[in-house]
């Protein structure tokens, strides 16, 4: 699936290096189509509750998913270990 710039998505996997958990929301800021036979990838910004960037990550298409209308966002304290 191709995500447009500034689309909100969620992470399918945890990223321990940045202490991010699966399900966290992020914003697409760049798209990389990939070479033939490779899946596309995206650079994402992850923000805290005040809108400050806490991480910038690049993930493959299969590692993110669109947000759904039947989902609710929640808040957690930063620094908790990703699980």
């Amino acid at each position: 699936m191709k995500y447009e710039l500034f689309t909100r998505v969620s992470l399918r996997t945890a990223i321990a290096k940045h202490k991010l958990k699966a399900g966290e929301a992020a914003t697409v800021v760049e798209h990389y189509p990939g070479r033939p036979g490779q899946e596309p990838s995206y650079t994402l910004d992850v923000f805290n509750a005040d809108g400050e960037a806490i991480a910038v990550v690049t993930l493959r298409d299969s590692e993110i998913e669109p947000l759904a209308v039947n989902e609710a966002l929640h808040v957690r304290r930063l620094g908790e270990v990703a699980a």
Side-chain angles (χ1 to χ4, degrees):
M1 169 175 201
K2 182 176 184 216
Y3 296 97
E4 298 296 323
L5 295 183
F6 309 112
T7 299
R8 299 287 311 264
V9 297
S10 66
L11 308 180
R12 285 187 170 183
T13 60
I15 304 172
K17 175 181 176 182
H18 294 287
K19 298 183 180 175
L20 299 175
K21 295 183 177 184
E24 306 226 84
T27 302
V28 174
V29 295
E30 191 59 71
H31 170 253
Y32 309 99
R35 297 179 188 167
Q38 289 183 327
E39 65 181 310
S41 58
Y42 298 88
T43 296
L44 310 172
D45 278 348
V46 183
F47 298 95
N48 67 13
D50 270 346
E52 299 167 339
I54 58 171
V56 177
V57 297
T58 301
L59 299 175
R60 295 184 310 268
D61 184 70
S62 61
E63 297 174 305
I64 60 176
E65 59 190 357
L67 294 178
V69 296
N70 65 342
E71 295 175 323
L73 300 177
H74 70 276
V75 176
R76 71 173 177 90
R77 293 202 183 273
L78 293 173
E80 294 177 4
V81 177

